[in-house]
Each structure stands twice: as C-alpha cells, then as structure tokens.
Amino acid sequence: MTTKTTRPLVRVLRDRDSRLCLSGVVVSGFGTSALWLASGVWVKDLTGSDGLAALCMLALWLPTLAGPLLGTLADRVRRKPLLIGVNVLLATLLLTLVGIDSPGDLWLLYAVLVVYGAAGVVHDAAESALVAGAVDPSLLGDFNGLRMTATEGMKLLAPLAGAGLYAAYGGGSVALLDAATFVLATGLYAALRVREDKPARPTGSRRRRTAEGVRHLWAHPVPRSLVLAGGATMLCAGVNGALVYAVVDGLGHSPAYTGVLYAVQGAGSVATGLLSGPALRRLGARRFAASGIALPAVAVALRAVPSDPVALVCSAAIGVGLPAVLIAALTSVQRETPGALLGRVTATANTLVYTPNVVGLAAGAALVELVSHRPVLVALGVALLMTAAALGQSPVRAERTVSRSSSDANPA
C-alpha cells in the first residue's frame, strides 16, 4: 500500500475521538459476537430444539424492522449521553441471564435478546450521527472501512472465544463477558471530547418525525440507490448463506468446514475495510459499490462448482466484495443527511439494507429443501450482476441531481 493511500488511515487513527469510537466498536463487537453464537448453543443444550435455538437470531434481528421509529431517539437527545446510556442498559440487562439453567427460564433470554437488538438499532444510529460530526467528512469512508475491519475481525475471533467460554463455564459466563465489554465501551464513549448542541424541541407527531427520515432518504438519489442496492445484495447474500451447508456437503466435507469458509470470507472483509477509503475517493460511491457487488456475483455463481480451491477463492471474493456497498451506503447517508435527521435516516437505511438478509436466509432455507443448490447459486449470481449493472448506470446524472438538493444548504 502506498503512502498516499495509507495517510488518511493514519489521520483517522491519530485522531483521539476516532480511536475511541473504533475501540468501542471492537470491544462491544467482541461481546456481541460471542453472545450471538453462545445464545443459540445455550438454547439447544437446554431444549434440544433447533427451531428454538434459531429464534435467538430472530429475536436479535426483529427490532431492525422498527428502525425508522427507533432511530428518532437518536435525534431527540445528545448522541454521546445516549451511547453511554445504551451501553449501561445492556450491561445491566445481561446480568439477569446469569441464573438461566432450565427451559422455563428461556423467556428471559428471548426478552433480553429483543431489547438487545432494539438497543443495537439505537446505538448504531447514534454512533453514525456522532461520527459524522466528529470525523472530517473526507475521512468518513476511511473510518467506516476501519469500522468494518474491526467488526469483521471480531467475528473471526469472538465466536471461538464465546464457544470455549461456554463449554468451560456455561452460558452465564458468556453473558458476564458481554456485560463487561459494554462496561468498558461505556468508559470509552465517556472519554470522547465531542461538543454537541442540544437538539431542537421535536415538532409534529411521532409518525411525522419518523417519516421525515424515510422522505429524506427517498429524495436523495445517490444514498437511495446505494441503500436499495445494498438491500438487494443482502437479500441474495442471505439466500447464499443459507445454502452454505449444501455447498459444503457437495464438497464432501463435514458441516464444520463451513467455519473455514467463513474465516476466509471474514479475512477478505477485513482487507476491504482497510482499502475502502482510497477506493471511495478514486471510484466514487456508486462505482465502488457496483464493483464490489460484481465480485461476489461471479463468486456466488462459481460456488456451484464442486471444488475445494474454487470454494475457498469464492469465499475470499465474497468477503472482499460484499462490504463495499455497505460502506458506500453508510458513508453516502452520513454525507448527504443533515445532522438533525441523521439518526432516523441511518436507522431507516439499516432497516432497508439488513432486513432483506433475514428474508433471504428464510427463503434459502426453504429452497435448499426443494431444489438443488447449484442452479439457485447461478441465479443468485445473475441477480447480483443485474444489481451491479443497475447501480453503475448514469452515475454522473445522479451526482448532478444530488448537487442541487437541499441537503447542501445544511450539510451533516
């Protein structure tokens, strides 16, 4: 990597508030990833039911559907105190899970996971808005890339740590670990030196305030197109993810081999996070995202080939390409949204991007029982190529449209 491309990353890492935010992402992300795996295993051990274990993931994702509404909370109060409060709340809630030791106690686990997911929506919206005000706009792509690198890096390490801790000491120990990470993240966010104006008193009904975020996103072509492309990509990614066990079976390996494929994919995502800032500046958001989508499009289709080397290369390619549209969409939303709306718009964008992933997982789970996975993979590759082509069309026209938008008069 040249000095020219690394210099912005160094600027981000040298900035005290940026380092603290990234450290908070790493710490809390470690605990979340550990609990994500351990909660399903915990339920499986207590009940023997795959369906009840799968409900843990549903409980975590379900609040995403209420993203536009939950995001309004991030616009009504100062973001730094809100982040601190959310972390304290989660640390306290997780302590209630320590005593779970029978199937009759699982209602508490599910309830905590739902609140956990809802708090995560608010946390992400507040963090995005806080970062947009604390980080130089020219470095937002670099910061978001580093954030992706940190998140994916934790996904490589934390599930293994959580599984080992669970095997040695039980689910309560993983809950304590996650609670400790939120306590540490609370201290990191408290150390931020950001200055925030008191938000204006809200006007209009709650429904109207919620709809403002949706209307703003829909009125701006660049972030809108990136968010919609991100949703379409994550829908295909969800179906592809549900087919991974069929791919592994076609290779003649045990289900445990999926861990190898996911590790390779995660390594690819870590690399993209480091390079996303320079790529965004060189290509622009739309071309960067379209190029990223095209890469997993080819890789997903080639997964139909029953070959170990091909499967490993395809996993790496998916890991490299998939984060591009997510980073581009978030960066575009931060740049094109006034600060007073950023919580709502971020939460709305996250709902539109990540909810299709859950739908895709469910659809893929149904399809794999009905048809061979190979034609489905090829069809997914075609769908992703079409998404990339649609996103790459007429980028200049879209940029000119957004340059005349009202957000320029009130930048984030």
Side-chain angles (χ1 to χ4, degrees):
M1 192 181 297
T2 65
T3 303
K4 185 177 290 187
T5 59
T6 57
R7 190 173 299 148
L9 291 179
V10 173
R11 288 174 59 194
V12 172
L13 293 174
R14 283 179 177 173
D15 182 80
R16 182 178 181 276
D17 287 336
S18 296
R19 289 200 311 272
L20 288 171
C21 284
L22 286 171
S23 298
V25 169
V26 170
V27 170
S28 59
F30 185 92
T32 298
S33 296
L35 183 70
W36 164 73
L37 176 65
S39 61
V41 178
W42 200 353
V43 172
K44 173 70 173 177
D45 282 347
L46 289 175
T47 66
S49 170
D50 291 330
L52 290 176
L55 283 180
C56 292
M57 182 59 67
L58 178 62
L60 280 169
W61 277 97
L62 191 62
T64 306
L65 297 174
L69 177 61
L70 292 171
T72 60
L73 296 176
D75 292 331
R76 293 190 61 180
V77 298
R78 290 187 177 95
R79 279 69 181 250
K80 176 182 170 179
L82 179 60
L83 285 171
I84 293 171
V86 167
N87 280 276
V88 171
L89 170 65
L90 289 174
T92 304
L93 278 176
L94 286 164
L95 295 178
T96 66
L97 301 181
V98 173
I100 292 179
D101 58 5
S102 68
D105 298 328
L106 289 180
W107 67 268
L108 178 60
L109 175 60
Y110 290 126
V112 169
L113 289 176
V114 170
V115 177
Y116 197 112
V121 173
V122 176
H123 184 283
D124 287 348
E127 183 191 60
S128 174
L130 188 69
V131 165
V135 176
D136 189 310
S138 66
L139 298 177
L140 281 174
D142 300 276
F143 180 92
N144 291 328
L146 287 173
R147 189 184 190 281
M148 177 68 71
T149 294
T151 301
E152 293 301 320
M154 288 305 98
K155 288 180 181 178
L156 293 176
L157 302 175
L160 294 175
L165 192 61
Y166 176 86
Y169 302 106
S173 64
V174 183
L176 286 175
L177 170 66
D178 200 9
T181 64
F182 281 115
V183 171
L184 182 53
T186 298
L188 292 168
Y189 287 120
L192 290 172
R193 294 174 179 171
V194 295
R195 292 184 178 182
E196 298 181 89
D197 295 328
K198 184 177 181 180
R201 182 182 295 273
T203 58
S205 65
R206 184 184 298 272
R207 178 180 297 180
R208 179 179 177 182
R209 295 197 301 272
T210 301
E212 284 177 348
V214 179
R215 286 198 298 268
H216 179 88
L217 180 61
W218 201 254
H220 290 73
V222 175
R224 181 186 69 212
S225 62
L226 288 166
V227 166
L228 292 178
T233 301
M234 293 305 290
L235 175 65
C236 294
V239 178
N240 174 63
L243 301 179
V244 66
Y245 291 104
V247 171
V248 169
D249 186 58
L251 295 173
H253 294 292
S254 69
Y257 190 72
T258 57
V260 176
L261 298 182
Y262 278 129
V264 172
Q265 181 174 327
S269 296
V270 168
T272 294
L274 294 173
L275 297 172
S276 61
L280 275 169
R281 283 186 287 274
R282 181 178 295 272
L283 300 175
R286 289 170 63 103
R287 283 196 294 170
F288 172 57
S291 300
I293 297 170
L295 188 57
V298 176
V300 167
L302 288 177
R303 270 187 146 178
V305 179
S307 164
D308 278 358
V310 171
L312 291 171
V313 171
C314 289
S315 292
I318 291 170
V320 169
L322 195 59
V325 66
L326 306 179
I327 295 170
L330 175 59
T331 304
S332 180
V333 165
Q334 289 172 322
R335 288 174 174 168
E336 299 291 337
T337 305
L341 288 175
L342 194 47
R344 280 164 283 182
V345 177
T346 297
T348 300
N350 286 342
T351 295
L352 292 174
V353 169
Y354 293 111
T355 300
N357 184 247
V358 183
V359 176
L361 285 168
L367 281 172
V368 76
E369 297 293 335
L370 300 175
V371 298
S372 170
H373 66 282
R374 292 189 174 92
V376 177
L377 289 170
V378 173
L380 289 174
V382 173
L384 286 168
L385 277 177
M386 292 173 64
T387 302
L391 184 61
Q393 287 178 352
S394 305
V396 175
R397 187 181 307 123
E399 293 288 348
R400 286 176 179 169
T401 302
V402 83
S403 70
R404 294 193 297 267
S405 69
S406 60
S407 68
D408 286 344
N410 188 15

